[in-house]
Amino acid sequence: MYDIENYYNAGTIAEAVELLKEHPEARIISGGSDVLIKIREGRLAGSSLVCIRDIKEIQGVTLMDSGDIYIGAGTTFSHITADPVIREYIPVLGEAVDQVGGPQVRNIGTIGGNICNGAVSADSAPTVFSLNAMLRIADGSGGRMVPVKDFYLGPGRVDLHQGDVLTHIVIPAREYQGYRGHYIKYSMRNAMDIATLSCSVVSRVNTEDNILEDVRITFGVAAPVPYRCEETETALKGMEIGEELYRRTEELVRREINPRDSWRASREFRLQIGGEIARRALQCTVESAGGDQS
């Protein structure tokens, strides 16, 4: 049994916004893979819920004429992994969300819920950071677009106000065209476990000159919020592809990230793993772009 005070079902974005404003104590639910667990554990016992599962406007993936990719916040992980637009243009995101939980969770869990939880271990977060995603938020009065890097305010805290509904994750064309990506998740078990540390790398390679033109490196569980290694990125841009680039990546990442000690892993262990998975992820992006590995 779940201790739920009231349950409201929204059929449109506008209706969801209105319900949230009428019932300020209510929480949004879609797949329920996180909210229902918290209710059952007592952390959200007695909550009122606004269900957005039936809102068709926030489901699916659309490639716009501009080249921008709109991902509905209510799109499930399994849909994202299998979607032809994702597979052709940003497969790294499909690969990342395919590491969430097990098949049952991926069939009901949504990317919007994963982001709005504000969990630093969320598998989708490092990749949407590395893709410089924008978040479309409806509020009943025009809404707003928020860079994902500004959305995370702290552990479990995000920039949502009363009546706000995240409707779409937008990947601008300029942020993925010509780029390759790779996501690595390190966890204590091979499946159905949250990340001890994770890293998503997106890069653009000049294969003619064998140069790393651009790179974005984002970690999960290396700071209180998903962390872009901007100092490392700046230092690596323009370097020749080769062993020195990868050695430098390991060294700089370990200087920049600031993981904590926890029962899952020590800070020192996470620093060691961090350098290694950043190196491997970058190598994979370079290889997929056809860069010279010699």
Side-chain angles (χ1 to χ4, degrees):
M1 293 292 292
Y2 294 96
D3 183 3
I4 297 171
E5 181 70 20
N6 293 293
Y7 181 88
Y8 309 98
N9 193 65
T12 65
I13 294 171
E15 188 177 355
V17 170
E18 183 178 352
L19 284 167
L20 289 167
K21 290 184 175 180
E22 288 179 1
H23 307 282
E25 79 290 349
R27 301 180 65 91
I28 289 178
I29 186 172
S30 184
S33 56
D34 287 306
V35 172
L36 291 179
I37 290 172
K38 292 176 182 177
I39 291 175
R40 188 168 186 175
E41 290 175 344
R43 287 183 284 166
L44 293 178
S47 293
S48 292
L49 303 177
V50 173
C51 181
I52 61 172
R53 182 183 55 193
D54 294 332
I55 302 179
K56 300 302 182 185
E57 303 162 83
I58 62 171
Q59 297 175 11
V61 179
T62 304
L63 178 64
M64 310 299 283
D65 291 341
S66 63
D68 296 350
I69 298 173
Y70 275 63
I71 305 168
T75 309
T76 64
F77 300 125
S78 55
H79 180 132
I80 289 170
T81 300
D83 188 272
V85 172
I86 299 294
R87 291 169 71 92
E88 180 172 357
Y89 296 104
I90 46 173
V92 61
L93 181 59
E95 294 161 5
V97 300
D98 200 41
Q99 298 190 45
V100 176
Q104 298 92 334
V105 172
R106 293 194 293 271
N107 285 339
I108 63 169
T110 64
I111 189 169
N114 205 225
I115 292 171
C116 289
N117 278 337
V120 72
S121 59
D123 285 299
S124 66
T127 298
V128 295
F129 266 68
S130 285
L131 288 170
N132 287 327
M134 301 291 293
L135 305 181
R136 180 76 178 88
I137 298 172
D139 58 9
S141 60
R144 67 190 196 278
M145 291 281 276
V146 178
V148 70
K149 66 182 180 64
D150 297 332
F151 187 67
Y152 283 72
L153 304 178
R157 296 189 301 114
V158 295
D159 186 23
L160 284 177
H161 311 143
Q162 186 59 48
D164 281 357
V165 176
L166 173 63
T167 65
H168 293 88
I169 295 89
V170 181
I171 313 298
R174 65 180 180 276
E175 305 295 352
Y176 73 84
Q177 290 177 347
Y179 288 83
R180 302 297 178 99
H182 191 72
Y183 175 74
I184 296 178
K185 172 182 179 176
Y186 179 87
S187 58
M188 304 306 289
R189 297 195 303 264
N190 289 332
M192 297 182 68
D193 197 4
I194 68 171
T196 300
L197 195 71
S198 60
C199 180
S200 187
V201 174
V202 172
S203 76
R204 185 178 68 227
V205 175
N206 181 331
T207 54
E208 184 175 339
D209 296 330
N210 205 37
I211 295 295
L212 182 67
E213 288 189 340
D214 193 19
V215 64
R216 306 172 198 146
I217 304 170
T218 308
F219 278 89
V221 207
V225 297
Y227 185 80
R228 273 281 297 273
C229 293
E230 295 181 355
E231 293 179 11
T232 300
E233 294 169 3
T234 299
L236 297 180
K237 290 175 187 176
M239 285 190 67
E240 184 178 2
I241 303 299
E243 180 56 33
E244 177 59 20
L245 168 67
Y246 304 128
R247 185 198 66 78
R248 189 82 171 130
T249 300
E250 285 192 62
E251 175 188 337
L252 292 173
V253 160
R254 291 186 181 123
R255 288 185 193 172
E256 187 169 357
I257 61 176
N258 187 31
R260 65 185 178 91
D261 286 309
S262 77
W263 68 269
R264 288 184 175 275
S266 68
R267 167 183 165 82
E268 289 73 20
F269 182 77
R270 284 190 168 105
L271 286 172
Q272 177 63 31
I273 291 296
E276 179 65 29
I277 64 176
R279 173 195 177 104
R280 291 184 186 181
L282 177 57
Q283 283 184 288
C284 285
T285 66
V286 171
E287 289 171 3
S288 65
D292 184 4
Q293 296 296 303
S294 60

